[in-house]
Amino acid sequence: MPGITREEVAHLARLSRLELGAEELDHLAAQLDDIIGAVARVAEVAADDIPPTSHPLPLTNVMRPDVIRPGLSPEEALSGAPAAEEQRFRVPRILGEE
Amino acid sequence: MTETIRWTAAETASAIADGKVTAVEVAQAHLDRIEAVDAKVHAFLHVDADGALAAAKAVDDARARGDRLGPLAGVPLALKDVFTTKGVPTTCGSKMLDGWKPPYDATLTRRLKDAGVVILGKTNMDEFAMGSSTENSAYGPTGNPWDPSRVPGGSGGGSAAAIASFQAPLAIGTDTGGSIRQPAALTGTVGVKPTYGGVSRYGLVAFSSSLDQGGPCARTVLDAALLHEAIAGHDPLDSTSIDAPVPNVVEAARSGSVKGLRIGVVKEFAGEGYQAGVLARFAEAVELLRELGAEIVEISCPNFTYAMPAYYLIAPSEASSNLARFDAMRYGLRVGDDGEHSAEEVMSLTREAGFGAEVKRRIMLGTYALSSGYYDAYYGQAQKVRTLITRDFEAAFGQVDVLVSPTTPTTAFPIGERADDPMAMYLADLCTIPSNLAGNAAMSLPCGLADEDGLPVGLQIIAPAMADDRLYRVGAAVEAAYLSRWGAPLLDRAPAL
């Protein structure tokens, strides 16, 4: 498995929504390369015919009756909001300026 | 009579129930202890003195009314800062949640309150439970009570250090790759990772959902069992919570015995990277188990050598998805909202400012492992290895009742030694990770001090899923044998703070 390049790390940072500084990017690129080299050892295991395990328990959908029950009040739900307005979360602009 | 803070949880509860002391006096004694020593240890991120005294008074009032008190009523506890507590700060050791007061209680928090447990405050941890030393906390490291210049383990270093320094008789941790057991080993305390699904995750801020499991930290096996019983059991609010009776852990802890048990020693947990003093104490523990009447069998679990690489693909993958919720929109930190930056820019600026180095590393590693082109080779392959590790356990438990190993390859290391060397840090969880991948139950309890540094060594006991009671049966027998051999609990040998 080839090592990870600085460009790939910059791309991963964008995908991860992390505004990394240049120095941080260099540092992380070297560390991620080490870590990926180590975890790539999983490829040594012959497991072609082995089913994957995503979870320790056999999961099935858990259903409950659709009964109305108390939830958070608007004040409680907004209590941790960085910004709120008219009982809503206020967020920065989402659309670009055209 | 020994001072209040050195009582076990069981002794504390009896003393309160018998009227020898009030719950308020017990809470105050622990708050005084925190005041006296926590500047050196830094186990707590937040101390809720008013809440603790009010909860204690409620227990005293209930007793005065003649109400029947539960087995832990009035006992103080330190809660890992990863469980939500209504109106009380919950930070997960991150700047991202600095000052956040959740609008609801975790199920575990609710159960503790219902049991009359007195929550003293919230304990320090590696940010979002990612780490093995508590150095990744945004609020500074926690010191090991045996030597404050050394780490207490992690991620639940604050919880383990709090009980080891007698700031609380009980604590709660969470164990994703060893975060309860490894700190227990490094601080000379008892820690249990219950069977996955045994304790509700509702209100536990998620790191890796298929691995995370809350559980008890204590100074004795019986205390851990009492706490385990109080927090375990089905919760309709957690769809991965097991809907089956909780194994009778308290009864098991009261009737410790290994006579006639078959105990497996995992061959793969030894060799390079293991400290001599750890291996020496472990060999003695195996000899002790034999003397106590167990049959010792060597077991090979060949795929365990791949547990660490598989874990560092699976856990970061799940983390990269779980931590996407920290988007600066609904709660927590927001940076760069100046009318100029777009929502997406604010998101990236906030996550850059709010997350520490280890969290960023894992989010990016997970994003990498899940990206198209790499998914099959990394995440997919790791999931297959997870199956093979589970099969290794199944084969082992076909031959033996429990497995034993050292909990960690080394004793507590100096603060700073591995802080910027992620691969060295990851080795701390070598022996604990397989049980998280398979979802079974495991305990760490003290088995002595390493000769070379005089620091605690942990013995790990592993039982099949939903056989948590076996941990307590074996653990109680081992603990009693050591107590008679040592003449006093191990923590009595820790230097005064």
Coordinates of all heavy atoms in Angstrom, one line a residue, chain A residues 1 4 8-9 12 16-20 24 27-28 31 35-36 38-39 41-42 44-45 47-48 50-57 62 76 80-83 89-93, chain B residues 196 210 239-240 305-306 309-310 312 328-332 334 337 340 342-344 346 348 351-352 360-361 363-365 367-368 374 378 381 383-384 386-388 391 420 423 438:
Chain A
M1 N 0.9 -1.2 0.0 CA 0.0 0.0 0.0 C 0.9 1.2 0.0 O 1.8 1.4 0.8 CB -0.9 0.0 1.2 CG -2.2 0.7 1.1 SD -3.4 -0.1 -0.1 CE -3.8 -1.6 0.8
I4 N 0.7 8.0 2.2 CA -0.2 9.0 2.0 C 0.5 10.3 1.7 O 1.5 10.6 2.3 CB -1.2 9.2 3.2 CG1 -2.3 10.1 2.8 CG2 -0.5 9.6 4.4 CD1 -3.5 10.0 3.8
E8 N -3.1 14.5 -0.4 CA -4.2 13.6 0.0 C -4.6 14.0 1.4 O -5.8 14.0 1.7 CB -3.8 12.1 0.1 CG -3.8 11.5 -1.3 CD -3.4 10.0 -1.2 OE1 -2.2 9.8 -0.9 OE2 -4.2 9.1 -1.3
V9 N -3.7 14.4 2.3 CA -4.0 14.8 3.7 C -4.8 16.1 3.6 O -5.8 16.3 4.3 CB -2.7 14.9 4.5 CG1 -3.1 15.5 5.9 CG2 -2.1 13.5 4.7
L12 N -8.3 15.2 2.7 CA -9.0 14.6 3.8 C -9.4 15.7 4.8 O -10.5 15.6 5.3 CB -8.0 13.6 4.6 CG -7.8 12.3 3.9 CD1 -6.8 11.5 4.8 CD2 -9.1 11.5 3.8
S16 N -13.1 16.4 6.0 CA -13.4 16.3 7.4 C -13.8 17.7 8.0 O -14.1 17.8 9.2 CB -12.1 15.8 8.2 OG -11.7 14.7 7.6
R17 N -13.9 18.7 7.1 CA -14.2 20.1 7.6 C -13.3 20.5 8.7 O -13.7 20.8 9.8 CB -15.7 20.2 8.0 CG -16.7 19.8 7.0 CD -16.8 20.8 5.9 NE -17.8 20.5 4.9 CZ -17.6 19.7 3.8 NH1 -16.4 19.2 3.6 NH2 -18.6 19.5 3.0
L18 N -12.0 20.4 8.4 CA -11.0 20.9 9.3 C -10.1 21.9 8.6 O -9.5 21.5 7.6 CB -10.1 19.7 9.9 CG -10.8 18.7 10.8 CD1 -9.9 17.5 10.9 CD2 -11.1 19.3 12.1
E19 N -10.0 23.1 9.1 CA -9.3 24.2 8.4 C -7.8 24.1 8.9 O -7.4 25.0 9.7 CB -9.9 25.5 8.7 CG -9.4 26.7 7.9 CD -9.9 26.7 6.5 OE1 -11.0 26.4 6.2 OE2 -9.0 27.0 5.6
L20 N -7.1 23.1 8.5 CA -5.7 22.9 9.1 C -4.7 24.0 8.6 O -4.8 24.4 7.4 CB -5.2 21.6 8.6 CG -5.9 20.3 9.1 CD1 -5.1 19.1 8.6 CD2 -6.0 20.3 10.6
E24 N 0.6 22.3 10.7 CA -0.2 21.2 11.2 C -0.4 20.2 10.2 O -0.4 19.0 10.5 CB -1.6 21.8 11.6 CG -2.3 21.0 12.7 CD -3.7 21.6 13.0 OE1 -4.1 22.7 12.4 OE2 -4.3 21.1 13.9
H27 N 2.8 18.1 9.9 CA 3.0 17.2 11.1 C 2.0 16.1 11.0 O 2.4 14.9 11.1 CB 2.7 18.1 12.3 CG 3.1 17.5 13.6 ND1 4.4 17.1 13.8 CD2 2.4 17.1 14.7 CE1 4.5 16.6 15.0 NE2 3.3 16.6 15.6
L28 N 0.7 16.3 10.6 CA -0.3 15.3 10.6 C 0.0 14.3 9.4 O -0.2 13.1 9.5 CB -1.7 15.9 10.4 CG -2.5 16.1 11.6 CD1 -3.7 16.9 11.3 CD2 -2.9 14.8 12.1
Q31 N 2.5 11.8 10.6 CA 1.9 10.9 11.5 C 0.9 9.9 10.9 O 0.8 8.7 11.2 CB 1.2 11.7 12.7 CG 2.2 12.3 13.6 CD 1.6 13.1 14.7 OE1 0.4 13.6 14.6 NE2 2.3 13.2 15.8
I35 N 0.7 5.8 10.9 CA -0.4 5.1 11.4 C -1.0 4.2 10.3 O -1.3 3.0 10.5 CB -1.5 6.0 11.9 CG1 -0.9 6.8 13.1 CG2 -2.7 5.3 12.4 CD1 -1.8 8.0 13.6
I36 N -1.1 4.7 9.1 CA -1.7 4.0 8.0 C -0.8 2.8 7.6 O -1.3 1.7 7.4 CB -2.0 4.9 6.8 CG1 -3.2 5.8 7.1 CG2 -2.3 4.0 5.5 CD1 -3.4 7.0 6.2
A38 N 1.0 1.2 9.7 CA 0.8 0.1 10.8 C -0.6 -0.6 10.7 O -0.6 -1.8 10.8 CB 0.9 0.8 12.2
V39 N -1.6 0.2 10.4 CA -3.0 -0.5 10.4 C -3.1 -1.3 9.1 O -4.0 -2.2 9.0 CB -4.1 0.5 10.5 CG1 -4.0 1.2 11.9 CG2 -4.1 1.6 9.4
R41 N -1.5 -3.5 8.2 CA -1.3 -4.9 8.5 C -2.5 -5.8 8.4 O -2.4 -7.0 8.3 CB -0.6 -5.0 9.9 CG 0.9 -4.7 9.9 CD 1.4 -5.0 11.3 NE 1.2 -6.4 11.7 CZ 0.7 -6.7 12.9 NH1 0.4 -5.8 13.8 NH2 0.5 -8.0 13.2
V42 N -3.7 -5.2 8.5 CA -4.9 -6.1 8.5 C -5.0 -6.8 7.1 O -5.6 -7.9 7.0 CB -6.2 -5.3 8.6 CG1 -6.4 -4.7 10.1 CG2 -6.3 -4.1 7.6
E44 N -2.7 -8.5 5.8 CA -2.0 -9.8 5.9 C -2.9 -11.0 6.2 O -2.5 -12.1 6.0 CB -0.9 -9.7 7.0 CG 0.2 -8.7 6.8 CD 1.1 -8.5 8.1 OE1 0.9 -9.3 9.0 OE2 1.9 -7.6 8.1
V45 N -4.1 -10.7 6.8 CA -5.0 -11.7 7.2 C -5.7 -12.2 5.9 O -6.3 -11.4 5.2 CB -6.0 -11.2 8.2 CG1 -6.9 -12.4 8.7 CG2 -5.2 -10.6 9.4
A47 N -8.7 -13.4 4.5 CA -10.1 -13.3 5.0 C -11.1 -13.2 3.9 O -12.2 -12.7 4.1 CB -10.2 -12.1 5.9
D48 N -10.8 -13.6 2.7 CA -11.7 -13.4 1.5 C -13.1 -14.0 1.8 O -14.1 -13.4 1.4 CB -11.1 -14.1 0.3 CG -10.0 -13.3 -0.3 OD1 -9.8 -12.1 0.2 OD2 -9.3 -13.7 -1.2
I50 N -14.4 -14.6 4.7 CA -14.9 -14.3 6.1 C -15.9 -13.2 6.0 O -15.7 -12.1 5.4 CB -13.7 -13.9 7.0 CG1 -12.6 -14.9 7.0 CG2 -14.2 -13.5 8.4 CD1 -13.0 -16.2 7.6
P51 N -17.1 -13.4 6.6 CA -18.1 -12.3 6.6 C -17.6 -11.1 7.5 O -17.0 -11.4 8.6 CB -19.4 -12.9 7.2 CG -18.9 -14.1 8.0 CD -17.6 -14.5 7.4
P52 N -18.0 -9.9 7.2 CA -17.6 -8.8 8.1 C -18.4 -8.7 9.3 O -19.6 -9.1 9.3 CB -17.8 -7.5 7.2 CG -18.8 -8.0 6.2 CD -18.7 -9.4 6.0
T53 N -17.9 -8.1 10.4 CA -18.7 -7.9 11.6 C -18.7 -6.3 11.8 O -17.7 -5.7 11.9 CB -18.0 -8.5 12.9 OG1 -18.0 -9.9 12.7 CG2 -18.8 -8.1 14.1
S54 N -19.9 -5.8 11.7 CA -20.0 -4.3 11.9 C -20.4 -4.0 13.4 O -20.3 -2.9 13.8 CB -21.1 -3.7 11.0 OG -22.4 -4.3 11.3
H55 N -20.8 -5.0 14.1 CA -21.4 -4.8 15.4 C -21.4 -6.1 16.3 O -21.5 -7.1 15.7 CB -22.8 -4.3 15.3 CG -23.3 -3.5 16.4 ND1 -23.9 -4.0 17.5 CD2 -23.3 -2.2 16.6 CE1 -24.2 -3.0 18.3 NE2 -23.8 -1.9 17.8
P56 N -21.1 -6.0 17.6 CA -21.0 -7.2 18.4 C -22.3 -7.9 18.6 O -22.4 -9.1 18.9 CB -20.4 -6.8 19.7 CG -20.6 -5.3 19.8 CD -20.7 -4.8 18.3
L57 N -23.4 -7.2 18.4 CA -24.7 -7.8 18.7 C -25.5 -8.0 17.3 O -25.3 -7.2 16.4 CB -25.6 -6.9 19.5 CG -25.1 -6.5 20.9 CD1 -26.0 -5.5 21.6 CD2 -25.0 -7.8 21.8
V62 N -35.7 -2.0 16.4 CA -36.4 -2.0 17.6 C -37.6 -1.0 17.4 O -37.4 0.2 17.1 CB -35.6 -1.5 18.8 CG1 -36.4 -1.5 20.1 CG2 -34.4 -2.4 19.0
E76 N -35.4 24.7 26.0 CA -34.4 23.7 26.4 C -33.6 23.3 25.1 O -32.4 23.2 25.2 CB -35.1 22.4 27.0 CG -35.6 22.6 28.4 CD -36.4 21.5 28.9 OE1 -37.2 20.9 28.1 OE2 -36.3 21.1 30.0
G80 N -28.4 25.4 24.3 CA -26.9 25.4 24.0 C -26.6 26.0 22.6 O -25.4 25.9 22.2
A81 N -27.6 26.6 22.0 CA -27.3 27.1 20.6 C -26.3 28.3 20.6 O -26.4 29.2 21.5 CB -28.6 27.6 20.0
P82 N -25.4 28.3 19.7 CA -24.4 29.4 19.6 C -25.2 30.7 19.3 O -24.8 31.8 19.7 CB -23.5 29.0 18.4 CG -23.7 27.6 18.2 CD -25.0 27.2 18.7
A83 N -26.3 30.6 18.5 CA -27.1 31.8 18.2 C -28.5 31.3 17.9 O -28.7 30.3 17.3 CB -26.5 32.5 17.0
F89 N -32.7 27.9 15.5 CA -31.2 28.1 15.5 C -30.9 29.1 14.4 O -31.4 28.9 13.2 CB -30.6 26.7 15.1 CG -30.8 25.6 16.2 CD1 -31.8 24.7 16.0 CD2 -30.1 25.6 17.3 CE1 -32.1 23.7 17.0 CE2 -30.3 24.6 18.3 CZ -31.3 23.7 18.1
R90 N -30.1 30.0 14.7 CA -29.6 31.0 13.7 C -28.3 30.5 13.2 O -27.3 30.2 14.0 CB -29.4 32.4 14.3 CG -29.3 33.5 13.2 CD -29.0 34.8 13.8 NE -27.6 34.9 14.4 CZ -26.5 34.9 13.7 NH1 -26.5 34.8 12.4 NH2 -25.3 34.9 14.4
V91 N -28.1 30.3 11.9 CA -26.9 29.8 11.3 C -26.3 30.8 10.3 O -27.1 31.7 9.8 CB -27.1 28.4 10.6 CG1 -27.7 27.4 11.6 CG2 -28.0 28.6 9.4
P92 N -25.0 30.7 10.1 CA -24.4 31.6 9.0 C -25.0 31.3 7.7 O -25.7 30.3 7.5 CB -22.9 31.3 9.1 CG -22.7 30.5 10.4 CD -24.0 29.9 10.7
R93 N -24.8 32.2 6.7 CA -25.4 32.0 5.4 C -25.0 30.7 4.8 O -23.8 30.3 4.9 CB -25.1 33.2 4.5 CG -23.7 33.2 4.0 CD -23.4 34.4 3.1 NE -22.0 34.7 3.1 CZ -21.1 33.9 2.3 NH1 -21.5 33.0 1.5 NH2 -19.8 34.2 2.4
Chain B
Y196 N -20.9 -5.7 26.0 CA -21.5 -4.6 25.1 C -23.0 -4.7 25.1 O -23.5 -5.8 24.9 CB -20.9 -4.7 23.7 CG -21.5 -3.6 22.8 CD1 -20.9 -2.4 22.7 CD2 -22.7 -3.8 22.1 CE1 -21.5 -1.4 22.0 CE2 -23.3 -2.8 21.4 CZ -22.7 -1.6 21.3 OH -23.2 -0.6 20.5
S210 N -20.1 1.1 18.1 CA -20.2 -0.4 18.2 C -19.2 -0.9 19.2 O -19.1 -2.1 19.4 CB -19.9 -1.0 16.8 OG -18.5 -1.1 16.5
S239 N -31.2 1.4 21.4 CA -31.7 0.2 20.7 C -30.6 -0.9 20.6 O -30.9 -2.0 20.2 CB -32.0 0.6 19.2 OG -30.9 1.2 18.6
T240 N -29.4 -0.6 21.2 CA -28.4 -1.7 21.2 C -28.3 -2.2 22.7 O -27.4 -3.0 23.0 CB -27.0 -1.2 20.8 OG1 -26.6 -0.1 21.6 CG2 -27.0 -0.7 19.4
T305 N -3.2 -10.6 17.3 CA -2.1 -9.7 16.9 C -2.6 -8.7 15.9 O -1.9 -7.7 15.7 CB -0.9 -10.5 16.3 OG1 -1.5 -11.4 15.3 CG2 -0.2 -11.3 17.4
Y306 N -3.8 -8.9 15.3 CA -4.3 -8.0 14.3 C -5.4 -7.1 15.0 O -6.1 -6.3 14.3 CB -4.9 -8.7 13.1 CG -3.8 -9.4 12.3 CD1 -3.5 -10.7 12.5 CD2 -2.9 -8.7 11.5 CE1 -2.5 -11.4 11.8 CE2 -1.9 -9.3 10.8 CZ -1.7 -10.6 11.0 OH -0.6 -11.2 10.4
P309 N -4.4 -3.1 14.8 CA -4.7 -2.4 13.5 C -6.2 -2.4 13.1 O -6.6 -1.4 12.6 CB -3.9 -3.3 12.5 CG -3.0 -4.2 13.3 CD -3.4 -4.1 14.7
A310 N -6.9 -3.5 13.4 CA -8.3 -3.5 13.1 C -9.1 -2.4 13.9 O -9.9 -1.6 13.4 CB -9.0 -4.8 13.4
Y312 N -7.8 0.4 15.1 CA -7.5 1.8 14.7 C -8.0 2.1 13.3 O -7.7 3.1 12.7 CB -6.0 2.1 14.9 CG -5.8 2.5 16.4 CD1 -5.3 1.6 17.3 CD2 -6.2 3.7 16.8 CE1 -5.2 1.9 18.6 CE2 -6.1 4.1 18.1 CZ -5.6 3.2 19.0 OH -5.6 3.6 20.4
A328 N -21.1 23.2 14.8 CA -21.2 24.7 15.2 C -22.6 25.2 14.9 O -22.7 26.5 15.0 CB -20.1 25.5 14.5
M329 N -23.6 24.4 14.7 CA -24.9 25.0 14.4 C -25.9 24.9 15.5 O -26.6 25.9 15.8 CB -25.5 24.2 13.2 CG -24.7 24.3 11.9 SD -24.5 26.0 11.3 CE -22.8 26.0 10.9
R330 N -25.9 23.8 16.3 CA -27.0 23.7 17.2 C -26.6 23.8 18.7 O -27.3 24.2 19.6 CB -27.7 22.3 17.0 CG -28.5 22.3 15.7 CD -28.5 20.9 15.2 NE -27.2 20.3 15.1 CZ -26.9 19.0 15.1 NH1 -27.9 18.2 15.2 NH2 -25.7 18.6 14.9
Y331 N -25.3 23.4 19.0 CA -24.8 23.6 20.3 C -23.3 23.5 20.2 O -22.7 23.1 19.2 CB -25.3 22.5 21.3 CG -25.0 21.1 20.9 CD1 -24.2 20.3 21.7 CD2 -25.5 20.5 19.7 CE1 -23.8 19.0 21.3 CE2 -25.2 19.2 19.3 CZ -24.3 18.4 20.1 OH -24.0 17.2 19.8
G332 N -22.6 23.9 21.3 CA -21.2 23.9 21.4 C -20.6 25.1 20.7 O -21.2 26.1 20.4
R334 N -18.8 27.9 18.4 CA -18.9 28.4 17.0 C -17.9 29.5 16.8 O -17.7 30.4 17.7 CB -20.3 29.0 16.8 CG -20.4 29.6 15.3 CD -21.8 30.2 15.1 NE -22.9 29.2 14.9 CZ -24.1 29.6 14.7 NH1 -24.5 30.9 14.5 NH2 -25.1 28.7 14.6
D337 N -18.2 33.3 13.0 CA -19.5 33.8 12.6 C -19.6 35.3 12.6 O -20.1 35.9 13.5 CB -20.6 33.2 13.5 CG -22.0 33.5 13.1 OD1 -22.2 34.0 11.9 OD2 -22.9 33.2 13.9
E340 N -19.3 37.3 7.4 CA -18.6 37.2 6.2 C -18.5 35.7 5.8 O -18.6 35.3 4.6 CB -17.1 37.7 6.4 CG -17.1 39.2 6.6 CD -17.6 40.1 5.5 OE1 -17.2 39.8 4.3 OE2 -18.4 41.0 5.7
S342 N -19.3 31.7 5.3 CA -20.4 30.9 5.1 C -20.5 29.9 6.2 O -19.6 29.7 7.0 CB -20.3 30.2 3.8 OG -19.2 29.2 3.9
A343 N -21.7 29.2 6.2 CA -21.9 28.1 7.2 C -20.8 27.1 7.2 O -20.3 26.6 8.2 CB -23.3 27.5 7.0
E344 N -20.5 26.7 5.9 CA -19.4 25.7 5.8 C -18.1 26.1 6.3 O -17.3 25.4 6.9 CB -19.4 25.2 4.3 CG -18.6 23.9 4.2 CD -18.5 23.4 2.7 OE1 -19.6 23.6 2.0 OE2 -17.5 22.9 2.3
V346 N -17.6 28.4 8.6 CA -17.7 28.5 10.1 C -17.5 27.1 10.6 O -16.8 26.9 11.7 CB -19.1 29.1 10.5 CG1 -19.4 28.8 11.9 CG2 -19.1 30.6 10.2
S348 N -15.8 24.6 9.4 CA -14.3 24.2 9.3 C -13.5 24.9 10.3 O -12.6 24.4 10.9 CB -13.8 24.4 7.9 OG -14.5 23.6 7.0
R351 N -14.3 23.5 13.8 CA -13.7 22.2 14.1 C -12.2 22.3 14.2 O -11.6 21.5 15.0 CB -14.2 21.2 13.0 CG -15.7 20.9 13.1 CD -16.2 20.3 11.8 NE -15.6 19.0 11.5 CZ -16.0 17.8 12.1 NH1 -17.0 17.8 13.0 NH2 -15.5 16.7 11.7
E352 N -11.6 23.2 13.5 CA -10.2 23.4 13.6 C -9.8 23.9 15.0 O -8.9 23.4 15.6 CB -9.7 24.3 12.5 CG -8.3 24.8 12.6 CD -7.2 23.7 12.6 OE1 -7.6 22.6 12.1 OE2 -6.1 23.9 13.0
K360 N -8.4 15.2 15.7 CA -8.2 15.5 14.3 C -7.6 14.3 13.6 O -8.1 13.9 12.5 CB -7.4 16.7 14.1 CG -8.1 18.0 14.5 CD -7.1 19.2 14.3 CE -7.7 20.4 15.0 NZ -6.7 21.5 15.0
R361 N -6.6 13.7 14.2 CA -5.9 12.5 13.6 C -6.9 11.4 13.3 O -7.0 10.8 12.3 CB -4.8 12.0 14.5 CG -3.5 12.6 14.3 CD -2.4 11.8 15.0 NE -2.5 11.8 16.5 CZ -1.8 12.7 17.2 NH1 -1.1 13.6 16.7 NH2 -2.0 12.7 18.6
I363 N -10.3 11.6 13.2 CA -11.3 11.9 12.2 C -10.8 11.7 10.8 O -11.4 11.2 9.9 CB -11.8 13.4 12.4 CG1 -12.6 13.5 13.7 CG2 -12.6 13.9 11.2 CD1 -13.0 14.9 14.1
M364 N -9.5 12.2 10.6 CA -9.0 12.1 9.2 C -8.6 10.7 8.9 O -8.8 10.2 7.7 CB -7.7 13.0 9.1 CG -8.2 14.5 9.2 SD -6.9 15.7 9.2 CE -6.1 15.3 7.6
L365 N -8.1 9.9 9.8 CA -7.9 8.5 9.6 C -9.2 7.7 9.2 O -9.2 6.9 8.3 CB -7.2 7.9 10.8 CG -6.8 6.4 10.8 CD1 -5.8 6.2 9.7 CD2 -6.2 6.0 12.1
T367 N -11.9 9.1 8.0 CA -12.4 9.6 6.7 C -11.6 8.9 5.6 O -12.2 8.5 4.6 CB -12.2 11.1 6.6 OG1 -12.9 11.7 7.7 CG2 -12.7 11.7 5.3
Y368 N -10.3 8.7 5.8 CA -9.5 8.0 4.8 C -10.0 6.5 4.7 O -10.2 6.1 3.6 CB -8.0 8.0 5.3 CG -7.0 7.3 4.4 CD1 -6.6 7.9 3.2 CD2 -6.5 6.1 4.8 CE1 -5.7 7.3 2.4 CE2 -5.5 5.5 4.0 CZ -5.1 6.1 2.8 OH -4.2 5.5 2.0
Y374 N -10.5 3.0 -0.9 CA -9.8 2.4 0.3 C -10.7 1.6 1.2 O -10.2 0.9 2.0 CB -9.1 3.5 1.1 CG -8.1 4.3 0.3 CD1 -8.2 5.6 0.0 CD2 -6.9 3.6 -0.1 CE1 -7.3 6.3 -0.7 CE2 -5.9 4.3 -0.8 CZ -6.1 5.7 -1.1 OH -5.2 6.3 -1.8
Y378 N -9.3 -1.3 3.8 CA -9.1 -0.9 5.2 C -10.3 -1.2 6.1 O -10.3 -2.2 6.8 CB -8.8 0.6 5.3 CG -7.4 1.0 4.7 CD1 -7.2 1.7 3.6 CD2 -6.3 0.5 5.4 CE1 -6.0 2.0 3.1 CE2 -5.0 0.7 4.9 CZ -4.9 1.5 3.8 OH -3.6 1.8 3.3
Q381 N -11.8 -4.8 5.4 CA -10.9 -5.8 5.9 C -10.8 -5.9 7.4 O -10.8 -6.9 8.0 CB -9.5 -5.6 5.3 CG -8.4 -6.6 5.7 CD -8.6 -8.0 5.1 OE1 -9.4 -8.2 4.2 NE2 -7.7 -8.9 5.5
Q383 N -13.2 -5.2 9.4 CA -14.5 -5.8 9.9 C -14.4 -7.3 9.8 O -15.0 -8.1 10.6 CB -15.6 -5.3 9.0 CG -16.1 -3.9 9.3 CD -17.3 -3.6 8.6 OE1 -17.4 -3.8 7.4 NE2 -18.3 -3.1 9.3
K384 N -13.7 -7.8 8.8 CA -13.4 -9.3 8.7 C -12.5 -9.8 9.8 O -12.7 -10.8 10.3 CB -12.9 -9.6 7.3 CG -13.9 -9.4 6.1 CD -13.2 -9.6 4.8 CE -14.3 -9.6 3.7 NZ -13.7 -10.0 2.4
R386 N -12.3 -8.5 12.6 CA -13.2 -8.4 13.8 C -13.9 -9.8 13.9 O -14.1 -10.3 15.0 CB -14.2 -7.3 13.7 CG -15.0 -7.0 14.9 CD -15.8 -5.7 14.8 NE -16.4 -5.4 16.1 CZ -17.1 -4.4 16.3 NH1 -17.3 -3.5 15.4 NH2 -17.7 -4.2 17.5
T387 N -14.4 -10.3 12.8 CA -15.1 -11.6 12.8 C -14.1 -12.7 13.3 O -14.5 -13.5 14.2 CB -15.6 -12.0 11.4 OG1 -16.4 -10.9 11.0 CG2 -16.3 -13.3 11.4
L388 N -12.9 -12.6 12.8 CA -11.9 -13.7 13.2 C -11.5 -13.6 14.7 O -11.3 -14.6 15.3 CB -10.6 -13.5 12.3 CG -10.9 -13.9 10.8 CD1 -9.7 -13.5 10.0 CD2 -11.2 -15.4 10.7
R391 N -14.2 -15.1 16.6 CA -14.1 -16.6 16.5 C -13.0 -17.1 17.4 O -13.2 -18.2 18.0 CB -13.9 -17.0 15.0 CG -15.1 -16.8 14.2 CD -14.8 -17.3 12.8 NE -16.0 -17.0 11.9 CZ -16.0 -17.3 10.6 NH1 -14.9 -17.8 10.0 NH2 -17.0 -17.0 9.8
D420 N 3.3 12.9 21.7 CA 3.2 13.2 20.3 C 3.7 12.0 19.5 O 4.3 12.2 18.4 CB 4.1 14.5 20.0 CG 3.6 15.1 18.6 OD1 2.4 15.0 18.3 OD2 4.5 15.6 17.9
M423 N 1.6 6.1 17.7 CA 1.8 4.7 17.6 C 2.2 4.1 19.0 O 1.8 3.0 19.4 CB 2.8 4.3 16.5 CG 2.3 4.5 15.1 SD 0.6 3.8 14.9 CE 0.9 2.1 15.2
A438 N -15.0 -7.8 20.2 CA -15.9 -9.0 20.3 C -17.1 -8.6 21.1 O -18.2 -9.3 21.0 CB -15.2 -10.2 20.8

